Amino acid sequence: MLDSLRHKLLALVERREELERLLADPDVIGDAKRFRSLSREFAQLEPLATALAGERRAREDLATAESMRADPELRDLAEEEITDARARLELLEGELLGHLVPRDPRDDGDLYLEVRAGTGGDEAAIFAGDLFRMYARYAERQGWRVEVESANPGEHGGFKEVIARVEGQGAYSKLKFESGTHRVQRVPETESQGRIHTSAATVAIIPVEPEGEPIVLNPADLKVDTFRSSGAGGQHVNKTDSAIRITHVPSGVVVESQTERSQHANRDKAMKRLQAMLAEAQAAQAAAAQAETRKLQVGSGDRSQRIRTYNFPQGRITDHRVDGLTLYDLPNVIEGGLDALVERLQAEHQADELARMTEGA
């Protein structure tokens, strides 16, 4: 490990020790908001302390084993322990480097999931429905909550558009690489000749703005319309103009909410999503300016790029952003088994960030 990276690790250890002192301070304990924030930061640094302690023990074991080499009777045992200690050190170094990757403050937060049918007509809408169900089932496995805020069903199933809020610890960190165009290759149920069709749907993952840090909107920039809800919810939704559509005139961004019974509740939901979308657009511009070559384009919201292909005849799923990322496990993935994809994309992002840090070290 480079000395400069080692110094950064030690600085994080010093910060953890400082946090430990602060969390014992009566003034901090009396400030619930600050105490909660510092406790969260302390918990995030705890794995680093554990890894450093493990590295220290591995180095001590290595030194002890190397000192045993001089004894002929212990040489074979020493070689085994040396091999074991070096393997542990290699693993721990990778783990420690991972702690140096800048943490996205939005990673622990909630998100808005937007899925829209693209090219392919009815089949695209059906595929959009399949994608939404895939994410909903993955969220269920993670113990997250999914709340649909707006949905426009397709004529033959699926959705032309569906927007939901996903709430749960670490939701954004696991789904933030899903933004982009998803392509499907399969034989539609309506295809009598057995021909494979290609269609697409777009996915956008938008982080919910952290509490207490909303983007400020000028009321003069907003156009607010009301209309009657058309979704589920009983007779009430069809009798009152409770649904809300808000247009942010400068950007052209439009949001709708129609799942609540009152205008006020729908307006509140729509405003929160509008703030999140505008904040994400600002973050995407900054990220693109700073890292044009990043393969995963975290948080860019760029849905023009084809990121993944789902080939049903071959049971194959391929992510085009990562060389060699092809899984022959499509039935499991489409049922919500996204762990292998999520973990590989997170590892790829970490490797990219470490490469950048090493170049600049």
Side-chain angles (χ1 to χ4, degrees):
M1 184 186 300
L2 296 175
D3 288 342
S4 57
L5 297 180
R6 175 69 62 177
H7 290 322
K8 291 178 181 178
L9 282 173
L10 295 177
L12 290 174
V13 171
E14 291 177 2
R15 173 59 178 167
R16 179 182 173 278
E17 293 172 352
E18 179 187 9
L19 289 169
E20 194 169 21
R21 291 192 296 271
L22 287 170
L23 290 171
D25 187 326
D27 291 337
V28 174
I29 295 174
D31 186 338
K33 184 176 180 180
R34 189 183 180 201
F35 184 80
R36 186 166 55 250
S37 175
L38 294 178
S39 296
R40 189 181 302 116
E41 185 181 355
F42 181 83
Q44 290 171 355
L45 291 174
E46 191 64 24
L48 167 63
T50 301
L52 280 171
E55 184 196 41
R56 183 169 58 252
R57 287 192 297 272
R59 290 190 183 281
E60 290 171 354
D61 291 345
L62 178 60
T64 300
E66 287 178 337
S67 68
M68 293 163 52
R69 271 177 165 169
D71 188 331
E73 295 183 1
L74 299 176
R75 185 174 298 134
D76 290 343
L77 176 61
E79 292 298 338
E80 289 181 11
E81 294 193 2
I82 287 171
T83 299
D84 176 67
R86 285 177 175 168
R88 285 159 53 202
L89 282 171
E90 185 176 350
L91 288 173
L92 286 165
E93 179 169 318
E95 183 179 343
L96 288 169
L97 287 172
H99 290 296
L100 290 176
V101 174
R103 182 174 177 79
D104 188 334
R106 305 171 298 178
D107 274 356
D108 289 332
D110 307 330
L111 59 93
Y112 292 105
L113 166 66
E114 302 184 354
V115 185
R116 294 179 175 85
T119 56
D122 292 336
E123 172 64 10
I126 293 171
F127 178 51
D130 291 341
L131 287 177
F132 178 72
R133 186 171 60 254
M134 175 182 76
Y135 292 124
R137 290 180 175 175
Y138 177 68
E140 183 180 353
R141 294 185 183 192
Q142 302 297 315
W144 302 338
R145 177 171 175 266
V146 178
E147 180 183 3
V148 175
E149 294 204 348
S150 177
N152 183 5
E155 294 180 7
H156 297 281
F159 297 99
K160 294 178 181 177
E161 176 186 87
V162 58
I163 298 170
R165 178 164 173 150
V166 180
E167 299 177 348
Q169 182 68 26
Y172 182 69
S173 69
K174 293 188 175 181
L175 291 181
K176 63 184 178 181
F177 303 113
E178 295 300 305
S179 290
T181 297
H182 296 239
R183 183 179 68 170
V184 63
Q185 296 172 328
R186 64 182 173 188
V187 179
E189 293 182 4
T190 56
E191 170 56 58
S192 59
Q193 303 297 320
R195 293 173 297 187
I196 296 175
H197 288 220
T198 298
S199 55
T202 61
V203 174
I205 302 295
I206 301 169
V208 173
E209 277 291 273
E211 189 174 334
E213 301 177 20
I215 190 169
V216 178
L217 296 175
N218 183 349
D221 291 336
L222 304 179
K223 177 185 176 185
V224 181
D225 299 305
T226 60
F227 59 99
R228 293 189 180 183
S229 301
S230 58
Q235 295 180 351
H236 173 84
V237 297
N238 295 317
K239 292 183 177 180
T240 62
D241 291 339
S242 60
I244 291 288
R245 179 185 298 111
I246 302 178
T247 303
H248 184 248
V249 177
S251 66
V253 173
V254 180
V255 295
E256 293 182 0
S257 180
Q258 57 178 303
T259 56
E260 300 298 322
R261 292 173 60 89
S262 72
Q263 265 191 30
H264 178 76
N266 279 321
R267 182 188 177 95
D268 183 57
K269 277 190 170 183
M271 283 293 291
K272 287 180 178 178
R273 187 151 57 87
L274 177 60
Q275 289 172 327
M277 291 176 71
L278 294 176
E280 173 64 2
Q282 290 181 0
Q285 290 178 350
Q290 294 174 3
E292 294 181 359
T293 61
R294 290 171 71 184
K295 286 184 287 186
L296 299 180
Q297 286 296 304
V298 182
S300 70
D302 180 6
R303 284 167 276 173
S304 63
Q305 179 190 15
R306 184 191 70 193
I307 65 167
R308 192 174 296 154
T309 295
Y310 303 73
N311 185 300
F312 277 76
Q314 298 179 15
R316 169 172 53 83
I317 181 168
T318 300
D319 196 293
H320 304 289
R321 297 165 295 178
V322 181
D323 290 340
L325 183 44
T326 295
L327 303 177
Y328 288 89
D329 192 26
L330 182 52
N332 177 48
V333 170
I334 210 70
E335 289 298 318
L338 287 169
D339 292 311
L341 280 170
V342 168
E343 290 168 8
R344 178 66 184 277
L345 291 168
Q346 288 180 324
E348 193 73 17
H349 169 62
Q350 179 174 302
D352 287 346
E353 291 297 311
L354 286 174
R356 287 198 314 113
M357 291 174 58
T358 303
E359 290 171 1

